[in-house]
């Protein structure tokens, strides 16, 4: 039954507000930063309204009830038995992995990432001053469809030189849901080399085609003891501006060190973020999420079909998760596709270079089908003006 209308998106061009829609001039369609154009589910909005109507927006801490809700959510989704005391509230997932890098990073040994990957993963070396080591995926192409696999030899080689592996699962921008086998193999290599796993699982509930997800820490007790899992309601329920996330750390020694950095930096989650998380993880938004995933799956299919039919020379991923697609122009005569589409099509995408791969763009399809269609029409026209 379709109850929610994701075809209707609110106007976000609000004067005096700087966001995805007002960052660029008015004639530009924004398919860049990773928030969606859909309103958050009603139970969250009602709860926030209630808090605002009550009038006092005072300091709040994560209550036992909230931590229990987060733990119950993990049990409901994955039968993962998380104890509430393992959960550390954080002011978002970027803060969450930067805290881990401060607590556990070493100047001698660096941290490992799998490019092309979320731009903030590349910034840690600048913030914390620890070296970044890369284990890029191997790209495979079938027709115009892109597929990426782990390069295991390289992963093993690089794991020997680091103290921390920052996993993006599901993967931004490639939309990969790693198989249990791949996760287990990554974990085994990390355990062999005494490498801490920090699993950014912020996109774990944005699953397309009713795909299933396994948290890294769910694989075994040994892996859970060596893993910091970062989750948040922000991407799933489209409340990223409320900056609230959770680090799940079963290992007490790791948790104590992590909490010390959170406290030293005074990372205090805003009260409304805690409110939203309580409602988001309570189960009240499940129907909304189910329909939203269905809508996103339709957008993904529309996008891949459109590119394949109308711009077959352009290579594209078929993401299994997230609302992000990855487009490859390296085989074409288009040196900077981000600038090209911005100038010629007035569509703002994300430049692949910030993820570690030039000649690519990331496209955010978390919007109405109509906006997506308009953007693709503009891109196609611009593309055919030169190809
Ligand atoms: C993989 C990943 N981690 C973290 C974030 C941002 O997290 P936060 O806004 O909670 O810091 C994003 C946003 O795009 C992301 O894609």
């Amino acid at each position: 039954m379709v109850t929610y209308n994701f075809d209707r998106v609110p106007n976000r061009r609000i004067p005096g507000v700087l966001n995805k829609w007002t960052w660029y001039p008015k004639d530009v369609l924004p398919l860049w930063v990773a928030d969606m154009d859909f309103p958050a589910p009603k139970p969250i909005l009602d709860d926030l309204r209630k808090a605002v109507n009550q009038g006092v927006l005072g300091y709040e801490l994560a209550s036992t009830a909230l931590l229990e809700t987060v733990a119950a959510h993990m049990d409901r989704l994955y039968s993962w038995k998380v104890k509430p005391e393992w959960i550390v509230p954080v002011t978002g997932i970027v803060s969450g992995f930067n805290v881990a890098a401060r607590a556990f990073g070493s100047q001698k040994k660096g941290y490992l990432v799998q490019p092309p990957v979320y731009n903030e993963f590349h910034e840690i070396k600048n913030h914390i001053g620890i070296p970044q080591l890369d284990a890029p995926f191997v790209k495979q192409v079938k027709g115009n469809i892109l597929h990426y696999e782990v390069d295991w030899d390289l992963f093993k080689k690089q794991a020997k030189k680091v103290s921390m592996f920052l996993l993006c699962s599901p993967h931004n921008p490639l939309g990969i849901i790693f198989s249990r086998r791949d996760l287990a193999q990554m974990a085994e290599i990390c355990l062999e080399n005494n490498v801490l796993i920090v699993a950014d699982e912020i996109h774990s509930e944005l699953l397309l085609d009713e795909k299933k997800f396994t948290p890294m820490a769910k694989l075994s007790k040994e892996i859970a003891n060596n893993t910091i899992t970062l989750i948040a309601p922000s991407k799933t329920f489209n409340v990223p501006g409320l900056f609230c996330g959770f680090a799940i750390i079963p290992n007490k020694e790791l948790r104590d060190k992590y909490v010390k950095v959170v406290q030293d930096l005074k990372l205090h989650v805003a009260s409304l973020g805690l409110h939203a998380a309580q409602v988001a993880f309570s189960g009240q938004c499940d129907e909304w999420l189910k329909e939203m995933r269905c809508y996103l799956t339709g957008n993904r299919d529309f996008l891949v079909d459109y590119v394949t039919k109308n711009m077959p020379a352009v290579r594209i991923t078929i993401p299994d998760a997230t609302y992000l697609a990855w487009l490859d122009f390296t085989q074409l005569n288009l040196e900077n596709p981000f600038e090209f589409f911005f100038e010629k099509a007035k569509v703002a995408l994300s430049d692949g270079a910030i993820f570690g791969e030039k000649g690519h763009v990331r496209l955010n399809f978390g919007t109405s089908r109509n906006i997506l269609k308009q953007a693709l029409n503009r891109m196609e026209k611009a593309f055919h003006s030169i190809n």
Side-chain angles (χ1 to χ4, degrees), residues 34 91-95 97 118 121 168 172 200 202-203 232 234-235 240 243 324 362:
T91 51
I93 300 311
V94 175
S95 323
F97 57 67
Y118 178 44
F121 280 32
C168 192
N172 166 11
D200 176 341
I202 194 171
H203 294 283
S234 53
K235 298 282 151 182
F243 283 100
L324 308 165
R362 188 188 75 177

Short mmCIF file of all heavy atoms in Angstrom, two decimals, residues 34 91-95 97 118 121 168 172 200 202-203 232 234-235 240 243 324 362, ligand 1:
data_model
loop_
_atom_site.label_atom_id
_atom_site.label_comp_id
_atom_site.label_asym_id
_atom_site.label_seq_id
_atom_site.Cartn_x
_atom_site.Cartn_y
_atom_site.Cartn_z
N ALA A 34 25.07 14.61 0.59
CA ALA A 34 24.24 13.44 0.88
C ALA A 34 23.17 13.72 1.94
O ALA A 34 23.23 13.21 3.06
CB ALA A 34 25.12 12.25 1.28
N THR A 91 28.45 13.13 18.27
CA THR A 91 27.86 14.24 17.51
C THR A 91 27.99 14.00 16.01
O THR A 91 28.47 14.85 15.27
CB THR A 91 28.58 15.55 17.86
OG1 THR A 91 29.99 15.31 17.70
CG2 THR A 91 28.31 16.02 19.25
N GLY A 92 27.60 12.84 15.59
CA GLY A 92 27.67 12.50 14.16
C GLY A 92 28.75 11.47 13.92
O GLY A 92 29.56 11.15 14.80
N ILE A 93 28.75 10.96 12.71
CA ILE A 93 29.64 9.84 12.37
C ILE A 93 31.03 10.33 11.98
O ILE A 93 32.04 9.67 12.25
CB ILE A 93 28.98 8.96 11.29
CG1 ILE A 93 27.66 8.40 11.80
CG2 ILE A 93 29.91 7.85 10.82
CD1 ILE A 93 27.71 7.75 13.17
N VAL A 94 31.09 11.52 11.39
CA VAL A 94 32.43 12.07 11.08
C VAL A 94 33.17 12.34 12.39
O VAL A 94 34.34 11.97 12.53
CB VAL A 94 32.32 13.34 10.20
CG1 VAL A 94 33.69 13.95 9.99
CG2 VAL A 94 31.69 13.00 8.85
N SER A 95 32.48 12.95 13.36
CA SER A 95 33.12 13.11 14.68
C SER A 95 33.49 11.74 15.22
O SER A 95 34.57 11.56 15.78
CB SER A 95 32.19 13.74 15.72
OG SER A 95 31.38 14.71 15.20
N PHE A 97 34.36 8.88 13.77
CA PHE A 97 35.60 8.22 13.33
C PHE A 97 36.83 9.08 13.58
O PHE A 97 37.93 8.55 13.72
CB PHE A 97 35.51 7.62 11.92
CG PHE A 97 35.14 8.52 10.76
CD1 PHE A 97 35.98 9.53 10.34
CD2 PHE A 97 33.96 8.29 10.06
CE1 PHE A 97 35.65 10.31 9.24
CE2 PHE A 97 33.61 9.07 8.96
CZ PHE A 97 34.46 10.09 8.55
N TYR A 118 34.19 7.99 0.73
CA TYR A 118 33.64 9.22 1.34
C TYR A 118 34.76 10.23 1.65
O TYR A 118 35.74 9.89 2.32
CB TYR A 118 32.89 8.82 2.62
CG TYR A 118 32.30 9.97 3.39
CD1 TYR A 118 31.63 11.00 2.76
CD2 TYR A 118 32.40 10.01 4.79
CE1 TYR A 118 31.08 12.05 3.48
CE2 TYR A 118 31.85 11.04 5.51
CZ TYR A 118 31.20 12.06 4.85
OH TYR A 118 30.67 13.09 5.57
N PHE A 121 36.84 10.60 4.86
CA PHE A 121 37.83 9.57 5.21
C PHE A 121 39.24 10.05 4.83
O PHE A 121 40.22 9.65 5.44
CB PHE A 121 37.56 8.26 4.45
CG PHE A 121 36.46 7.39 5.03
CD1 PHE A 121 35.37 7.93 5.68
CD2 PHE A 121 36.52 6.01 4.91
CE1 PHE A 121 34.36 7.13 6.20
CE2 PHE A 121 35.52 5.19 5.43
CZ PHE A 121 34.44 5.75 6.07
N CYS A 168 33.84 1.50 5.19
CA CYS A 168 32.60 2.19 4.86
C CYS A 168 31.63 1.12 4.36
O CYS A 168 31.79 0.61 3.25
CB CYS A 168 32.87 3.23 3.78
SG CYS A 168 31.49 4.35 3.56
N ASN A 172 30.03 4.23 0.51
CA ASN A 172 29.79 5.50 -0.17
C ASN A 172 31.09 5.87 -0.87
O ASN A 172 32.10 5.98 -0.18
CB ASN A 172 29.41 6.56 0.87
CG ASN A 172 29.45 7.98 0.31
OD1 ASN A 172 29.57 8.19 -0.88
ND2 ASN A 172 29.37 8.96 1.20
N ASP A 200 32.08 2.33 9.67
CA ASP A 200 31.09 3.38 9.46
C ASP A 200 29.90 2.74 8.76
O ASP A 200 29.95 2.46 7.56
CB ASP A 200 31.72 4.50 8.62
CG ASP A 200 30.75 5.61 8.26
OD1 ASP A 200 29.52 5.38 8.33
OD2 ASP A 200 31.21 6.70 7.89
N ILE A 202 26.75 4.02 8.62
CA ILE A 202 25.70 5.05 8.59
C ILE A 202 24.64 4.76 7.52
O ILE A 202 23.48 5.11 7.68
CB ILE A 202 26.32 6.46 8.38
CG1 ILE A 202 25.32 7.57 8.68
CG2 ILE A 202 26.89 6.64 6.99
CD1 ILE A 202 25.92 8.97 8.72
N HIS A 203 25.04 4.08 6.43
CA HIS A 203 24.08 3.82 5.34
C HIS A 203 23.40 2.45 5.45
O HIS A 203 22.76 2.00 4.50
CB HIS A 203 24.79 3.91 3.98
CG HIS A 203 25.28 5.30 3.65
ND1 HIS A 203 24.45 6.30 3.21
CD2 HIS A 203 26.52 5.86 3.71
CE1 HIS A 203 25.14 7.40 3.01
NE2 HIS A 203 26.40 7.16 3.31
N ALA A 232 23.78 5.67 12.90
CA ALA A 232 23.03 6.91 13.14
C ALA A 232 21.68 6.82 12.44
O ALA A 232 21.55 6.11 11.43
CB ALA A 232 23.81 8.10 12.58
N SER A 234 20.56 9.39 10.96
CA SER A 234 20.60 10.61 10.13
C SER A 234 20.33 10.38 8.64
O SER A 234 19.52 11.09 8.05
CB SER A 234 21.94 11.31 10.32
OG SER A 234 23.00 10.41 10.10
N LYS A 235 21.03 9.41 8.02
CA LYS A 235 20.83 9.20 6.58
C LYS A 235 19.49 8.53 6.33
O LYS A 235 18.74 8.92 5.46
CB LYS A 235 21.94 8.31 6.00
CG LYS A 235 23.31 8.86 6.12
CD LYS A 235 23.60 9.92 5.10
CE LYS A 235 24.61 10.88 5.68
NZ LYS A 235 24.98 11.98 4.85
N PRO A 240 19.97 14.49 8.98
CA PRO A 240 21.42 14.63 9.20
C PRO A 240 21.78 15.94 9.89
O PRO A 240 22.81 16.02 10.57
CB PRO A 240 22.01 14.56 7.79
CG PRO A 240 20.91 14.98 6.88
CD PRO A 240 19.65 14.49 7.54
N PHE A 243 22.61 16.01 13.81
CA PHE A 243 23.91 15.55 14.32
C PHE A 243 23.84 14.70 15.58
O PHE A 243 24.15 15.15 16.68
CB PHE A 243 24.86 16.75 14.53
CG PHE A 243 25.41 17.23 13.22
CD1 PHE A 243 24.89 18.36 12.60
CD2 PHE A 243 26.43 16.55 12.59
CE1 PHE A 243 25.37 18.79 11.38
CE2 PHE A 243 26.93 16.97 11.37
CZ PHE A 243 26.40 18.09 10.76
N LEU A 324 23.16 6.93 -3.67
CA LEU A 324 24.30 7.52 -4.37
C LEU A 324 24.73 6.62 -5.51
O LEU A 324 24.86 5.41 -5.33
CB LEU A 324 25.45 7.70 -3.38
CG LEU A 324 25.09 8.45 -2.09
CD1 LEU A 324 26.16 8.27 -1.04
CD2 LEU A 324 24.84 9.93 -2.37
N ARG A 362 29.79 11.64 -8.36
CA ARG A 362 28.78 10.95 -7.56
C ARG A 362 27.47 11.70 -7.75
O ARG A 362 27.44 12.93 -7.70
CB ARG A 362 29.17 10.96 -6.08
CG ARG A 362 28.25 10.09 -5.24
CD ARG A 362 28.54 10.27 -3.75
NE ARG A 362 28.02 11.54 -3.26
CZ ARG A 362 28.09 11.92 -1.99
NH1 ARG A 362 28.66 11.14 -1.09
NH2 ARG A 362 27.59 13.09 -1.60
C1 LIG B 1 29.94 7.15 4.95
C2 LIG B 1 29.51 8.41 5.63
N1 LIG B 1 29.88 8.63 6.91
C3 LIG B 1 29.49 9.75 7.56
C4 LIG B 1 28.72 10.72 6.94
C5 LIG B 1 28.33 11.96 7.68
O1 LIG B 1 28.04 11.70 8.99
P1 LIG B 1 27.66 12.84 10.03
O2 LIG B 1 26.90 13.88 9.29
O3 LIG B 1 26.87 12.11 11.05
O4 LIG B 1 28.95 13.34 10.58
C6 LIG B 1 28.34 10.53 5.62
C7 LIG B 1 27.56 11.57 4.92
O5 LIG B 1 27.46 11.59 3.74
C8 LIG B 1 28.73 9.35 4.96
O6 LIG B 1 28.36 9.11 3.70
#
